[in-house]
Amino acid sequence: MKRINLAPGASRALVYLLATLMALWVLFPIYLVGVAAFSPRQVIYEWPKAIVPRTWSLETMLFFLNSHGVLASTRNSVLVALITLAISLVLGAPAGYALARFPFRGRDTFRILVLSTRAFPIVILSIPLAVSFIQWGMYDSLLSVALMHTALALPFTILVTSSVFAGVPYDLEEAAMTLGCNRLQAFLRVALPLTLPGLAAAAIFTFVLSWNEVFAAVILTLRNRTLPAQVLTVLNESPIPFRFAGGFFMLAPALVFIFIIRRYLFNLWGRVVK
Amino acid sequence: MAEIRLDNIRKTFGKVVAVQDISLTVPDGEFIVLLGPSGCGKTTLLRCIAGLEQVDHGRVFIGGRDVTGLAPRSRDIAMVFQSYAVFPHMTVFDNIAFGLHMQKQPSAEIKRRVQAAAGLLQIETLLDRYPAQLSGGQRQRVAVARALVMEPAVLLLDEPLSNLDAKLRLRMRTELKRLHKMVEYTIVYVTHDQVEAMSLADRMAVMNQGVLIQEGAPLEIYNRPQNVFVAGFIGSPPINFLKARLMEKDGDLFVATQDFALQLPPDRAARARESARSNDVVLGIRPQDVHELARVGWTEGDNRIRATVDVIEPLGDAVVVTVVTGEGSLQITLPADTRAQVDQPLELVVDVNRVHLFDPQTEEAIF
């Protein structure tokens, strides 16, 4: 391949240009949604739109929040996300720890197996799952949505926590054991404090994963909808301002959380992918 | 302070035998060095003593107490790791105090002992710092202080100097030896560096492929290596091994290589006649046991080598000279003011009282 020689400054500028374009591609719609969510109703219908809004208003946002089912489904979403977070950490962190620390037989197979659970498209699984949940009498319950989200999040939790634990040399725990700790104390006093930020990042990511998940939530619930399921269901018969406000309301927490943990995500993916 | 007794220790990882039936007694207060190439099982043996590995069979006694099944914390040991394993989320003070906190010592006592240990290692001024703010050498001192503060019966050190730069390593070596003189703990020290081992050890245990090959005082091992491996592993530059044959001539015994023959003194000749299983032997000549004829002057017996200088490597206090003796070559050390010149002939004298003979099959030493 012929290499195009650019001055170092020029190629740098090109990289920045592309990065800027990609960032705009993502950020501009978010910006528009955000602006619309905080504009008065009549402004939303205006055309052409002003890039910088002249008037601010909470009217649209309040309209969305006061709509039927929004607050209840928000509460549902938070609950489901919290349950998902708790179960995936309780199940996933020990698995991650084992993957990181113990060279047990079949470890690599297990690692692949964990990932392969994500290979089945949820679209294919959804009908059998819905049927099963109905048969078990667990249909339309928050717990079943949380279980489903846990199944989706668990591979991620396991692999990420495993790389978080792998980042703490085992030497440190062994040193603690020679200094009077048993295994558990060594973990609690040395490994846990050092991995806490990484584990928190994994937890937040799990939370966001559940918060954003819509497909399983729609399939598995009828009255106890989570927020994305609720918004999706009523989307078609909703006025435009409602859609903007709903979009922003769902987007904001995910954005904020990802922003907080972005440093860890870079690290984690770097290590998981290898 | 306590004696360590290892009784037939075996440790395997899957099919790999890391430590093969090693028995070893370390008397109270001794500084013993486990020496061997990487992968020889020396660190595994140390970890078996620490309790970080469970032995497959055999027993570990510390101070007469059978600690084989006990956890590391119940063995009265302290260990310094190769990586130092200093806790990054704690200050130097908290690192050193960690073990004492675990023992629930009163805080005044903790403070006193941490101060004392820090003083011993000259890190009193660093107590408030975090490990990230320390140099490698300082971190190493923290690790040693953290172990010493426990006042353990046995102090275990796993290649503690290998991550330091050359100059600092020499300084810490001296300090460790001084430290041992002061605290008189039983110390087990693992290294692959034979110079470090020789300089620190009261006694060395040389290991290879999971087997304890030879134990003894450093000079004893240097002067009387038990087999080819030990002779080759210890000494710098390494010993020269040459294929040779034993030959009788007029009642004298000669050991002849393809290039030269050395007449063995009567007592050594007798030993060779008695122990050698065949006439084929491996001759071992240490670089330090070959001298310039011009400097030694006249010698008794036939022990001269005519050689041509190939390469000269000055070290400052000495030079390492590679000479060609015909078909083969030798590496020897000569004083710095040697008259040897590259590509010039050089007449050498071998100290035949210090050469070694080995059986080529078993690789065991004849002498």
Side-chain angles (χ1 to χ4, degrees), chain A residues 87-162:
Chain A
I87 306 180
S88 358
L89 269 192
V90 165
L91 290 179
Y97 186 83
L99 268 182
R101 285 286 186 260
F102 308 121
F104 56 88
R105 189 190 299 260
R107 176 166 71 166
D108 292 337
T109 320
F110 178 70
R111 208 185 275 270
I112 303 276
L113 222 62
V114 162
L115 263 185
S116 69
T117 57
R118 291 307 302 266
F120 299 103
I122 179 149
V123 183
I124 294 174
L125 290 176
S126 55
I127 301 301
L129 269 172
V131 171
S132 300
F133 275 114
I134 290 171
Q135 282 173 347
W136 296 332
M138 289 176 67
Y139 189 72
D140 202 18
S141 92
L142 292 183
L143 183 64
S144 22
V145 179
L147 282 178
M148 189 60 222
H149 286 180
T150 304
L152 292 174
L154 209 47
F156 168 82
T157 318
I158 291 174
L159 293 184
V160 167
T161 52
S162 119

Side-chain angles (χ1 to χ4, degrees), chain B residues 30-234:
Chain B
E30 186 176 76
F31 195 134
I32 190 167
V33 175
L34 302 180
L35 175 67
S38 58
C40 74
K42 55 193 189 299
T43 293
T44 305
L45 186 61
L46 189 80
R47 292 169 56 86
C48 287
I49 300 174
L52 294 169
E53 305 285 355
Q54 284 300 313
V55 299
D56 291 356
H57 77 67
R59 310 224 66 85
V60 180
F61 297 89
I62 293 176
R65 190 165 62 109
D66 186 346
V67 298
T68 314
L70 297 184
R73 69 201 146 99
S74 315
R75 294 193 175 200
D76 204 5
I77 53 117
M79 182 157 166
V80 177
F81 291 73
Q82 184 173 8
S83 62
Y84 314 143
V86 173
F87 305 131
H89 57 306
M90 297 179 196
T91 61
V92 169
F93 182 95
D94 289 335
N95 260 282
I96 301 176
F98 186 87
L100 301 175
H101 274 302
M102 291 307 297
Q103 291 178 348
K104 302 208 162 44
Q105 299 276 356
S107 65
E109 168 77 359
I110 291 178
K111 194 154 183 202
R112 188 186 63 74
R113 277 166 71 175
V114 170
Q115 293 285 357
L120 206 58
L121 285 137
Q122 295 153 21
I123 48 173
E124 305 104 308
T125 54
L126 307 176
L127 287 175
D128 294 331
R129 297 218 197 153
Y130 282 91
Q133 302 164 294
L134 303 179
S135 70
Q138 290 168 331
R139 248 175 268 172
Q140 204 252 3
R141 284 161 191 269
V142 174
V144 174
R146 187 177 67 181
L148 282 180
V149 81
M150 303 298 290
E151 297 172 6
V154 170
L155 184 57
L156 307 172
L157 299 133
D158 184 10
E159 309 226 12
L161 303 184
S162 61
N163 287 337
L164 301 180
D165 65 57
K167 211 169 152 188
L168 196 54
R169 198 180 309 157
L170 284 182
R171 222 177 70 204
M172 282 312 291
R173 202 170 79 189
T174 314
E175 284 197 28
L176 278 178
K177 195 148 189 176
R178 178 182 302 131
L179 212 58
H180 178 241
K181 197 177 75 181
M182 283 157 63
V183 298
E184 294 182 326
Y185 292 140
T186 310
I187 295 183
V188 185
Y189 185 107
V190 161
T191 182
H192 62 268
D193 182 336
Q194 46 115 359
V195 179
E196 203 171 291
M198 298 267 292
S199 61
L200 283 170
D202 293 331
R203 215 154 52 95
M204 305 198 311
V206 185
M207 291 178 63
N208 190 29
Q209 295 178 348
V211 180
L212 176 60
I213 310 266
Q214 186 175 4
E215 50 171 304
L219 277 183
E220 187 186 317
I221 291 182
Y222 179 82
N223 289 328
R224 285 192 292 281
Q226 221 160 64
N227 63 16
V228 169
F229 171 78
V230 177
F233 193 72
I234 289 170

Side-chain angles (χ1 to χ4, degrees), chain B residues 261-280:
Chain B
L262 304 175
Q263 183 184 0
L264 293 174
D267 58 323
R268 299 203 138 206
R271 279 242 289 292
R273 285 191 187 102
E274 192 180 300
S275 313
R277 296 191 307 164
S278 82
N279 284 333
D280 288 319

